[in-house]
Amino acid sequence: MDKSFEKKKKVVYELICDSLYVPMKFKELAMLLQVSKEQRDELREVLKALEEDGKIYLSKRGKYCKGEAKHLKGTFRASLRGFGFVVMEDGNPDVYISEEDVNGAFDKDQVEFVITKENQGQRRSREGRIVRITARGLTKVVGLFQKKEHLSYGFVLPDNQRFPYDIFVPADKAKGAVSGHKVVVELTSYGEAGRNPEGRVTEIIGHINDPGTDIMSIVKGYDLPVEFSEKLLSQAERVAKEVSPADMAGRKDLREWQMVTIDGEDAKDLDDAVSLTREGENYLLGVHIADVSNYVQENSALDREARERGTSVYLADRVIPMLPHKLSNGICSLNAGEDRLALSCIMTVNPKGLVISHEIAETVIHVDARMTYTSVKMILEDKDETELERYHEFVPLFQRMEELSLILRERRMKRGSIDFDFPETKMVLDEEGKPLELRPYERNVATKLIEDFMLLANETVAEDYYWQELPFVYRTHEPPDEEKIRTLATFINNFGYSMHIGVNEIRPKEIQKLLAKVEDTPEEALICRLALRSMKQARYMPENIGHFGLAANYYTHFTSPIRRYPDLQIHRIIKDNLRGRMNEEKLAHYQKLLPEVTKHSSEMERRAEEAERETVKLKKVEYMRQYIGEEFEGVISGMTKWGMYVELPNTVEGMVHVTNMTDDHYDYYEDRYEMAGEHTGKAYKLGQKVRVRVLDANRMLRTIDFEIVDVIAE
């Protein structure tokens, strides 16, 4: 570029940033600036610097264009197919990043990016290009170690399918790992063009065929904390003392009230008890929650650990608790026959299901019976004589509960609360964690009534503290993206359904009405799934913006402080308020603390959900390996251009890949969620019943492959 290189850098800058400038490829730029072949690397450096400044960007066609000067920040989330999205820090809609614009970013990296395409009025069409990686999101990766005998080095095949490369491990950094070991590898290099990332083995989890290695690989892959330190365990031991008269001082004594806990058979941390009596035509409903904050003091070692964990994690064969078992299964668990400290929400509910008065109080309680959902169902639905006799003194209580539950549910439905009743998976495992049975988890009268009472308590507490205008933690659920809802509305017209969408507004009642219309129709599963996919995820916030799915103006999480940190945080705020300690200093403290607590708790909730989902997928794959070659009936539950998902009655979902649809060439029509054959005219639609054969169940990829055997006539 001759001796006047600095001057020509300025020329490049002015040329690129000139508003009259026409986008130009590198070759054209080099020719225009009379750059020799030897000087082209320098020109590339100039262009790269201008890109990083946000002055220019490189288009998909390889042309340098005048750029947006503003660098935006966010977290990159990679897809399984190379492209990805940046989740914006400011909460704006995600920005699509094509594979060629990823610029070396991996899943969860913190990145700076520029917008390359933004169509007004079409928020989801925004596209961007990553210009800089500011922090790596993944420093450790879990995977399968493989090494060929004649080679000294090895490779780790990542479990995380969003990490697109095998990781090179030099011989002296393998820590003795052999082929078949599941390992944790720390990344020492993220690779570059033509070179794989490199790392060193820091931990050998176990051999892939050893019992427990599969789940522990997921635990390590999501960096879930497993053990509590000796310091924490000893602190839990010290505080977990039986309730004393001094502990009860100043509390409302409810030990004479008849109350029960109702949970699953295998539940050990019982954090909610319920009481219910009649006062004339009204109901007096008490929801009594374990006072965990009495034992976990703010900013103690126990509290810092609980805040970091954010939530208990429920995996297929184990629970990773937020608090040590000495607390969660001991003094903080509302065990029958024991005095316990609680925070109670006592509500007077009229016959229409409206809370006409309430009290939130520190209490001492004594649970009379530890009931299970199964037992209560047998009493209320099955009228089982043995259970009726066994719990005869509680039968009137359960009958009142059923009565009030129906009133509350009807009131919630009237206002538009949405109930997506998709079955969760109930797994029966043997002692080594091998799945023996999979079936849908049944919601019954007992699970529903506890759900109804907890929802009412959460709403009541949230509304109380909203109007007190105190710092608080809300459980929020934003309205869905208008574009997604309009797409859904257009699609359901094909079936003769319609939705009323206001100007920039969709009401939950419209979704609920749609679900009611499609109930028991062939297209029910299809439309319910599409409606669910149009929803946003709920999260914790210090601001109240309401809960769309519940059609609630005020909502919080108050009822599970043993297993959710936001609930524990809320209890502290309530107790400070009840005890008159909410002074200016406390207000400032919570206003500063809550944004970080809610953000971190939401992130930890997502992590727990992903880990739980992965363990379920893993066990489903393991279960279906015994059925390879066998046929099942199922429903088409999802569609993409590369194939169809089919769900079996036992909740297992597998993929029918287009490469296994050999009777024709099939094209995917996104507007009508249909896969249609080019020559035969045969079409497959969401919600259609089919018979499939199991082709494969891949433990590494956690995928199940089906092929279509036949279509089942309605």
Side-chain angles (χ1 to χ4, degrees):
M1 203 190 271
D2 70 42
K3 293 178 182 178
S4 57
F5 177 65
E6 289 302 320
K7 185 178 178 183
K8 290 204 171 178
K9 275 208 297 189
K10 189 179 177 185
V11 171
V12 172
Y13 177 85
E14 289 173 351
L15 182 68
I16 297 289
C17 297
D18 189 336
S19 60
L20 299 176
Y21 168 67
V22 176
M24 204 175 287
K25 290 191 174 182
F26 177 81
K27 197 173 182 180
E28 296 165 327
L29 260 174
M31 286 175 64
L32 188 67
L33 291 165
Q34 299 175 3
V35 173
S36 67
K37 287 183 179 179
E38 293 76 21
Q39 295 163 335
R40 290 190 175 192
D41 284 345
E42 277 188 295
L43 178 58
R44 289 185 199 279
E45 289 299 314
V46 173
L47 294 169
K48 185 177 179 183
L50 291 172
E51 275 192 88
E52 289 183 353
D53 289 342
K55 297 289 196 309
I56 65 170
Y57 68 88
L58 191 63
S59 75
K60 289 182 182 178
R61 296 185 178 183
K63 293 187 177 185
Y64 286 97
C65 309
K66 181 181 176 182
E68 301 290 332
K70 187 178 180 184
H71 275 205
L72 301 171
K73 293 181 179 180
T75 304
F76 179 64
R77 296 311 311 261
S79 75
L80 301 180
R81 298 186 170 265
F83 63 86
F85 294 87
V86 173
V87 180
M88 301 280 283
E89 285 185 349
D90 58 10
N92 276 320
D94 300 349
V95 177
Y96 173 79
I97 309 291
S98 66
E99 189 172 359
E100 54 266 39
D101 288 334
V102 166
N103 200 16
F106 290 140
D107 189 46
K108 298 182 182 176
D109 283 352
Q110 299 297 309
V111 298
E112 288 183 7
F113 68 102
V114 291
I115 300 294
T116 59
K117 178 183 176 184
E118 182 161 20
N119 292 343
Q120 293 298 320
Q122 297 180 31
R123 298 168 73 195
R124 288 195 61 84
S125 65
R126 297 203 313 168
E127 297 183 18
R129 180 173 186 273
I130 292 171
V131 295
R132 195 158 74 92
I133 298 159
T134 57
R136 290 292 184 180
L138 289 171
T139 57
K140 293 180 179 178
V141 175
V142 171
L144 181 67
F145 186 83
Q146 289 194 337
K147 177 177 172 292
K148 292 183 178 176
E149 286 184 20
H150 64 285
L151 298 174
S152 59
Y153 58 84
F155 282 91
V156 171
L157 282 59
D159 285 359
N160 183 351
Q161 299 299 304
R162 290 183 171 87
F163 196 92
Y165 305 105
D166 296 344
I167 301 159
F168 175 78
V169 180
D172 62 340
K173 294 182 179 175
K175 205 176 183 179
V178 299
S179 287
H181 270 152
K182 294 299 291 289
V183 300
V184 180
V185 59
E186 183 179 48
L187 292 162
T188 55
S189 161
Y190 288 83
E192 54 192 44
R195 278 189 61 192
N196 281 44
E198 192 170 314
R200 64 183 185 92
V201 174
T202 59
E203 183 181 352
I204 297 171
I205 300 169
H207 193 274
I208 189 171
N209 294 325
D210 291 345
T213 297
D214 51 2
I215 299 291
M216 190 51 71
S217 295
I218 292 172
V219 169
K220 296 288 183 182
Y222 283 95
D223 199 22
L224 296 170
V226 182
E227 304 298 333
F228 290 98
S229 68
E230 286 300 320
K231 178 184 174 184
L232 286 166
L233 292 173
S234 61
Q235 189 176 103
E237 188 80 37
R238 284 197 306 275
V239 301
K241 293 174 181 162
E242 291 304 307
V243 176
S244 67
D247 293 326
M248 300 182 201
R251 288 176 175 264
K252 193 180 184 79
D253 192 340
L254 307 181
R255 286 177 292 175
E256 296 304 313
W257 289 24
Q258 186 185 52
M259 65 178 69
V260 296
T261 60
I262 307 176
D263 294 272
E265 277 84 351
D266 50 359
K268 295 181 177 64
D269 51 348
L270 315 177
D271 49 13
D272 56 88
V274 184
S275 61
L276 183 61
T277 55
R278 290 294 295 264
E279 291 189 341
E281 65 172 6
N282 297 324
Y283 298 86
L284 186 67
L285 171 65
V287 173
H288 314 280
I289 309 301
D291 187 0
V292 179
S293 62
N294 188 77
Y295 303 98
V296 182
Q297 301 299 315
E298 185 172 27
N299 213 29
S300 64
L302 278 170
D303 181 50
R304 290 194 298 272
E305 180 72 14
R307 188 194 304 178
E308 184 58 35
R309 293 182 178 221
T311 180
S312 296
V313 186
Y314 295 82
L315 304 180
D317 65 344
R318 71 196 74 188
V319 176
I320 300 175
M322 184 178 82
L323 296 168
H325 288 305
K326 188 72 179 175
L327 293 174
S328 62
N329 297 357
I331 193 65
C332 292
S333 185
L334 304 182
N335 300 331
E338 304 282 350
D339 289 348
R340 287 291 185 262
L341 304 182
L343 204 54
S344 299
C345 181
I346 303 161
M347 298 159 279
T348 302
V349 187
N350 71 13
K352 293 182 179 179
L354 185 68
V355 177
I356 55 176
S357 67
H358 73 276
E359 178 187 8
I360 301 168
E362 293 181 76
T363 58
V364 56
I365 64 171
H366 189 98
V367 172
D368 296 298
R370 189 263 199 250
M371 302 297 299
T372 66
Y373 295 129
T374 304
S375 283
V376 176
K377 174 189 175 289
M378 289 170 73
I379 291 166
L380 293 175
E381 279 188 1
D382 305 336
K383 313 295 183 191
D384 183 275
E385 289 185 11
T386 305
E387 291 297 291
L388 285 165
E389 176 58 33
R390 183 181 176 189
Y391 296 110
H392 65 93
E393 63 185 296
F394 299 105
V395 170
L397 171 66
F398 299 138
Q399 289 170 341
R400 286 194 298 274
M401 286 183 175
E402 183 179 23
E403 196 177 280
L404 178 59
S405 171
L406 290 170
I407 293 170
L408 294 176
R409 188 162 289 253
E410 185 181 351
R411 179 177 175 79
R412 216 166 55 247
M413 292 303 110
K414 275 183 181 175
R415 76 183 188 205
S417 180
I418 304 165
D419 186 10
F420 289 106
D421 196 9
F422 289 111
E424 294 180 19
T425 305
K426 173 69 176 175
M427 293 189 177
V428 180
L429 308 177
D430 68 13
E431 290 180 357
E432 293 190 338
K434 184 179 177 183
L436 301 175
E437 183 187 358
L438 302 179
R439 62 175 184 267
Y441 188 86
E442 181 191 7
R443 283 176 76 196
N444 58 39
V445 61
T447 60
K448 288 177 181 177
L449 66 84
I450 288 298
E451 182 182 301
D452 292 331
F453 298 161
M454 297 306 123
L455 286 172
L456 189 66
N458 285 332
E459 287 185 47
T460 302
V461 171
E463 183 172 6
D464 184 317
Y465 276 77
Y466 174 78
W467 288 110
Q468 289 195 55
E469 298 185 347
L470 293 173
F472 208 61
V473 174
Y474 296 95
R475 179 67 169 175
T476 65
H477 185 220
E478 296 167 88
D481 284 331
E482 190 179 333
E483 186 179 334
K484 282 188 175 181
I485 289 297
R486 291 198 183 280
T487 301
L488 174 65
T490 302
F491 175 73
I492 62 174
N493 282 337
N494 297 329
F495 296 91
Y497 301 110
S498 61
M499 288 171 63
H500 174 73
I501 303 172
V503 180
N504 299 322
E505 184 182 36
I506 172 70
R507 294 184 181 277
K509 187 78 175 173
E510 289 301 310
I511 306 278
Q512 187 210 61
K513 279 157 60 177
L514 173 65
L515 299 184
K517 285 177 194 170
V518 302
E519 193 171 354
D520 297 327
T521 65
E523 59 271 13
E524 178 182 9
L526 157 63
I527 290 175
C528 284
R529 285 179 188 280
L530 295 180
L532 180 61
R533 288 171 192 169
S534 72
M535 298 288 113
K536 289 187 177 179
Q537 286 185 308
R539 58 188 172 128
Y540 298 107
M541 290 176 67
E543 297 85 28
N544 176 46
I545 59 170
H547 195 293
F548 180 85
L550 292 171
N553 292 324
Y554 320 93
Y555 195 65
T556 190
H557 272 172
F558 161 78
T559 52
S560 293
I562 289 176
R563 61 185 180 90
R564 294 189 303 228
Y565 192 78
D567 304 54
L568 177 56
Q569 185 66 69
I570 283 165
H571 280 219
R572 288 205 185 102
I573 292 170
I574 291 172
K575 287 174 69 173
D576 278 340
N577 187 44
L578 291 176
R579 295 178 180 187
R581 296 194 302 225
M582 196 60 82
N583 53 30
E584 290 300 320
E585 187 180 339
K586 277 283 185 184
L587 289 170
H589 166 68
Y590 284 126
Q591 283 163 350
K592 181 182 177 183
L593 177 71
L594 295 185
E596 176 52 37
V597 165
T598 53
K599 181 174 181 288
H600 182 71
S601 294
S602 296
E603 289 169 355
M604 293 304 96
E605 180 184 42
R606 300 284 171 268
R607 180 179 72 168
E609 286 171 348
E610 287 182 25
E612 289 165 9
R613 205 158 37 236
E614 285 302 306
T615 57
V616 170
K617 279 168 63 178
L618 181 70
K619 291 301 172 187
K620 285 180 177 179
V621 169
E622 197 176 327
Y623 180 77
M624 293 304 290
R625 284 175 69 83
Q626 64 188 306
Y627 296 112
I628 290 174
E630 295 192 28
E631 296 180 8
F632 295 89
E633 289 186 4
V635 173
I636 297 174
S637 55
M639 283 211 173
T640 67
K641 60 186 177 185
W642 54 85
M644 308 182 295
Y645 291 96
V646 174
E647 186 175 314
L648 308 185
N650 63 4
T651 74
V652 165
E653 191 174 57
M655 162 68 84
V656 179
H657 201 278
V658 284
T659 55
N660 294 319
M661 299 171 71
T662 54
D663 61 331
D664 200 348
H665 172 77
Y666 285 87
D667 291 310
Y668 173 50
Y669 295 93
E670 189 175 5
D671 59 333
R672 56 182 191 263
Y673 292 91
E674 184 176 289
M675 196 78 80
E678 221 172 67
H679 307 293
T680 61
K682 188 186 290 186
Y684 295 101
K685 297 183 177 183
L686 266 172
Q688 193 171 11
K689 292 182 180 178
V690 291
R691 176 170 285 278
V692 294
R693 183 180 295 112
V694 184
L695 292 180
D696 190 26
N698 189 313
R699 288 173 65 189
M700 274 293 292
L701 299 177
R702 297 172 197 147
T703 56
I704 297 165
D705 289 327
F706 294 148
E707 67 176 349
I708 299 284
V709 176
D710 199 5
V711 174
I712 300 170
E714 292 292 338

